[in-house]
Each structure stands twice: as C-alpha cells, then as structure tokens.
Amino acid sequence: MLKSPLMLKGMALLGCMALLLIPLRILSVVIGERADYRDHVTHSLEQSTSGPQKLVGPLIVIPVTEITTTMEEGKEVTRERSFIRYWLPESLMVTGKQAVEPRHVGIYEGQVWRSEVSLEARFTLPAQAVNPGAQYRLGDARLVMAVGDSRGIGNVGALNINGQTLEVEPGTGLEEGGEGLHASVPAALLEASTLAVRFSLELNGTGAFSVVPLGRSSEMSLISNWPHPNFYGNFLPATREISASGFAAKWRSSWYANNLDGYFQKGQEVRLGALPAFSVTVATPVDQYQLTDRAVKYAVLLIALTYMAFFVCETLSGITMHPVQYLLVGLSLVMFYLLLLAFSEHIGFNLAWLAASLAGAALNALYLQVVLKGWRRSLIFAGGLLALDGVLWQLLRSQDFALLLGSGLLFAALAAVMLLTRHIDWYALTPAKARFTRLTPASQEERFRLWK
C-alpha cells in the first residue's frame, strides 16, 4: 500500500501544504508588526495632543469639618473629622458638537477630535444630615469640572450661576488632585434654594469621549461628523442616527438607573475616573490589517481547494503534475496575501484585493498554460481562482453569513469532486501489488468462520 501512486501523491500534497504553513506564519507575523506600528502612530498622536476625555461635572464641593464633644471618664473630649460634601445637580443637560480630523504620519492615519460642549445644570439645596451633638465648620465651596486630560482644554467660556459670572481657575482644587477646572462659589449664592449653572468649553482629545451623568436626571446630545462611532460603557444611547456624514446620539439616565448619588456618600473618597458614564469612541473601521489577518486564516482552505482541483484534473485528463509544481502554485497563493497587505496600505483593502487577485490569476494562467498543456485549461483554472477569491471576499465582508457561505463552498467543492470522479475505478489507478484483495462472498464467509 505504501507503493501506491495515490498514496504517494497524497503524502506529497500534504507535505507541500505543511511547507506552505511556514510562509503563512511569517506573513502573519509581518501583519502583526505593521498593525503594531499603526497603533504606535495612534499612541504618538495621543502623546502629542491629548488622550481620551472623561467629563465629570459640574458638581459643588464643600469641605466640612465635623466637631463632636463627648464625656469620657468625666472629661470633656472634643474630636474633629474632616470630609468632603458633594452637591450633585438635580438635572444635567449636556450638548456637544464634535469635529473629527484625520492626522497622517507617513502612510498611517489617526484621528483627533474637537468638541464644543455646553452644560446646563440645576442644583437644589440639599437637606443637611445633622449628627446630634455635632457642630460643623464649612470651608469655601467650589464648583468643579474634572476632565481626563487637561491638555485638551481649549477655549473656556463664561461660568454663569444664577445670572452671576464667576472666574474659572485651572485644576479641580481637590486634595486628591485631578485635572480640570474649578470656580469658587460665594457664600451668598449658597443661600438660594436653587442654583442654575450654565457653562461651555472646548475639549480636544483622541479616542473616547465620556460624560458622567451626575444629575438626578441627566441627558446628553452629541453630533459628530465621524461615521464610525463605537458606543460602549455603562449606558447605550437612547436614540442614535448614523450616516455617511456622521452620527447623532442622545443618552438619558437617572439615579434610579445609575445610583450615582451612592458614590458621593458623606466622608467617602470618590474616584472620579471610575464613575459610570455616557461613552462613545472615535472608532477606526475594520482596517486592512484586521481584514488581511482574517483572510490569511482562509489560506489553507484556498490552497486545499486548489490542490483538490488539480488532483481531479490529473485524474480525469491523465496529465501528471510534479509536487514541485504544486508547491509553486501554492507559493503563488501565499504571495496573493503579501500583495494584498502591501497594496492595501496605499489603495485600500477592496482595490488591493482586486489587484492581488488579478495578479495571482495572471501568473497562474501563464504558468499552468505549459503545465496543463493548453490555454483552455489554464484559463479555466485562472477563472476558478478569481471566483474563489470572490467567494472568500464575501466571507470576509459578511460576518453574519460567514459560516453559511463557508459551509456552502465546502459542500459545493465536495459535490463537484464526487460527481466528476463517480465513474473512476480507483483500483485501476493502483498497481496490482498495492491493491486491497477483493473478497468474494464465499471467501468472506470462510474467513469469518475461521476467525470464530
């Protein structure tokens, strides 16, 4: 059986496919390195401009010192405890208009964005939780606006509280630090039952833009010229519209849903950056590196189907192909993916796929014209390769139907092989010494009786 030409040819083809896995692995490494360099360019843009932005505010911060006096062992003991009292808005309305601009570093592209943000908040004087027997000493109240990266703060508009304009200072003014803005709130304003706050600023960044819904009821509206948003985080938009010219989205939330008031309990340390938020990121659509990497995963399928077609052609036509010829055709299929990667960095993935497919089909048509002894067979195989490339392109572009298309392709290939070879006597293709012995019913019965 080891001397069977079919067995030897099958082992040779498996060896060719195993050898082709080496350049495919190298190609995967090259794709990863190019993608890493693209990510490095994006990181460089973030370092030279500003990073993701998370807007927390406005909220009013009041330092409080609680003084309690107790009798211990006949002596009067006074203790002081300092904490921060956070005053959250009853309602918060955020309106933003975002403009995304592409930035190029060589052949690579990243995005930076600029948002004009307007905020309207209404505060209601909270009831003071009084500890019996305690006295309170209040510090200077501040209105705080925290951001993720202060380098992205552009033009700062006027801060208006109940019709009074306040001066805005850099930094949050909190003991734990933080980047952002703050303004001192006069004590006279705190005597009002409600505070109406209006504020606007320009915020620049890369990647994500987030707003924490601090209000008992909070809303955010954002309009952008970027057609590839990625909505993520704790809250998805209540409504959204995405088109080729950009997107528009609206978020809504309340304390019933986010429990944000629980993060600001008296005396509890608050990590502003960890608060849940409305979030959207300027996402890069599936780029050429991701698509090429996914395409390489189908390379074994492409090579196997091609080899199967050659094997059937050999069987039906009597033309014999050497394993080296199989290997060269397989290398041309691997070269298709390298051309795809190289072209896609300059002309886009779709045009690169078309150019690489035409180049591969033309090369194989010229080569197979001699191997298959005629233009007719070589052009049929070149057309088959183009059709197979088209099917694989559909597999890449249609994730929802990838399994269905792949299964249909394999079923069609198997059906074609079975139909084309159904009249072949495979024993006739095998030398007599290597064949299995065909047993007659009588001999089968005799062997079964002896075995028993």
Side-chain angles (χ1 to χ4, degrees):
M1 191 63 185
L2 292 177
K3 296 181 180 179
S4 169
L6 289 177
M7 177 63 70
L8 293 176
K9 177 57 71 74
M11 294 176 63
L13 296 185
L14 289 177
C16 289
M17 294 191 65
L19 286 175
L20 292 175
L21 293 178
I22 298 174
L24 285 174
R25 174 58 184 167
I26 296 174
L27 182 58
S28 296
V29 173
V30 173
I31 294 172
E33 290 177 349
R34 303 295 287 182
D36 289 342
Y37 188 72
R38 186 274 320 276
D39 294 339
H40 175 71
V41 169
T42 303
H43 183 67
S44 298
L45 284 176
E46 179 180 323
Q47 293 297 316
S48 59
T49 54
S50 55
Q53 298 287 11
K54 188 171 188 177
L55 187 61
V56 185
L59 71 159
I60 295 177
V61 176
I62 305 175
V64 178
T65 301
E66 184 184 72
I67 305 171
T68 58
T69 302
T70 59
M71 297 296 296
E72 296 182 6
E73 299 180 356
K75 296 182 179 180
E76 189 177 85
V77 178
T78 301
R79 291 186 175 87
E80 294 185 359
R81 184 173 70 95
S82 298
F83 57 90
I84 298 294
R85 181 64 185 268
Y86 296 94
W87 188 356
L88 304 185
E90 283 291 310
S91 62
L92 174 64
M93 172 66 74
V94 180
T95 305
K97 186 176 182 180
Q98 185 184 71
V100 181
E101 301 174 359
R103 299 289 176 85
H104 291 85
V105 179
I107 63 173
Y108 299 96
E109 179 181 296
Q111 293 82 31
V112 297
W113 51 262
R114 182 181 70 257
S115 294
E116 297 176 359
V117 183
S118 298
L119 303 103
E120 295 185 7
R122 182 176 61 86
F123 292 83
T124 300
L125 185 65
Q128 294 290 340
V130 178
N131 182 10
Q135 296 180 344
Y136 295 90
R137 186 170 62 245
L138 304 181
D140 296 331
R142 295 184 298 275
L143 187 137
V144 173
M145 291 284 301
V147 299
D149 191 340
S150 60
R151 294 177 302 162
I153 298 177
N155 295 327
V156 178
L159 172 61
N160 187 287
I161 301 181
N162 284 2
Q164 182 175 338
T165 302
L166 303 181
E167 185 176 355
V168 179
E169 300 291 342
T172 61
L174 300 176
E175 293 182 359
E176 59 268 23
E179 302 180 54
L181 306 166
H182 77 278
S184 297
V185 181
L189 283 176
L190 298 178
E191 296 176 359
S193 58
T194 60
L195 298 180
V197 177
R198 289 181 175 82
F199 184 56
S200 63
L201 79 159
E202 180 185 287
L203 199 58
N204 306 305
T206 56
F209 172 65
S210 304
V211 173
V212 176
L214 289 177
R216 182 182 295 272
S217 62
S218 301
E219 295 185 13
M220 183 175 80
S221 300
L222 182 65
I223 299 175
S224 175
N225 65 339
W226 187 248
H228 308 290
N230 180 22
F231 303 105
Y232 72 104
N234 306 93
F235 312 98
L236 293 178
T239 60
R240 60 181 180 178
E241 297 179 4
I242 303 174
S243 65
S245 59
F247 73 89
K250 293 183 179 181
W251 289 259
R252 298 185 184 91
S253 187
S254 68
W255 289 354
Y256 298 106
N258 55 44
N259 194 35
L260 265 169
D261 56 326
Y263 289 85
F264 294 88
Q265 297 296 329
K266 182 180 68 173
Q268 179 177 316
E269 182 180 353
V270 180
R271 296 175 55 193
L272 299 181
L275 298 175
F278 302 144
S279 301
V280 61
T281 186
V282 176
T284 302
V286 178
D287 61 12
Q288 66 268 22
Y289 301 111
Q290 293 172 298
L291 290 173
T292 305
D293 184 62
R294 285 168 52 191
V296 169
K297 292 180 173 63
Y298 291 103
V300 174
L301 174 63
L302 176 64
I303 295 171
L305 291 175
T306 304
Y307 280 7
M308 184 186 298
F310 282 138
F311 181 77
V312 173
C313 180
E314 278 191 82
T315 305
L316 295 177
S317 65
I319 298 173
T320 302
M321 292 181 62
H322 194 274
V324 173
Q325 294 171 320
Y326 274 91
L327 185 61
L328 290 175
V329 172
L331 287 174
S332 72
L333 299 179
V334 174
M335 183 60 66
F336 161 79
Y337 294 100
L338 184 59
L339 291 176
L340 175 64
L341 175 63
F343 286 148
S344 65
E345 292 185 336
H346 299 276
I347 61 176
F349 184 80
N350 292 337
L351 289 178
W353 187 280
L354 178 61
S357 297
L358 292 175
L363 176 62
N364 280 287
L366 290 173
Y367 180 70
L368 295 174
Q369 186 269 335
V370 177
V371 175
L372 299 179
K373 298 179 175 57
W375 280 108
R376 181 173 174 272
R377 293 191 184 97
S378 67
L379 291 177
I380 289 175
F381 269 99
L385 286 176
L386 287 175
L388 192 55
D389 288 341
V391 174
L392 293 179
W393 185 83
Q394 288 293 334
L395 284 174
L396 293 178
R397 306 298 295 186
S398 180
Q399 295 186 19
D400 294 338
F401 299 97
L403 180 59
L404 179 61
L405 291 174
S407 302
L409 176 62
L410 291 175
F411 181 82
L414 178 60
V417 172
M418 294 176 68
L419 291 174
L420 291 173
T421 62
R422 67 187 185 275
H423 297 300
I424 295 177
D425 183 1
W426 295 100
Y427 281 106
L429 302 177
T430 306
K433 293 182 180 180
R435 298 178 190 172
F436 289 110
T437 302
R438 301 191 184 188
L439 301 177
T440 63
S443 61
Q444 289 178 350
E445 182 178 353
E446 178 65 19
R447 287 195 175 190
F448 180 73
R449 187 183 62 79
L450 293 175
W451 178 79
K452 288 186 65 177

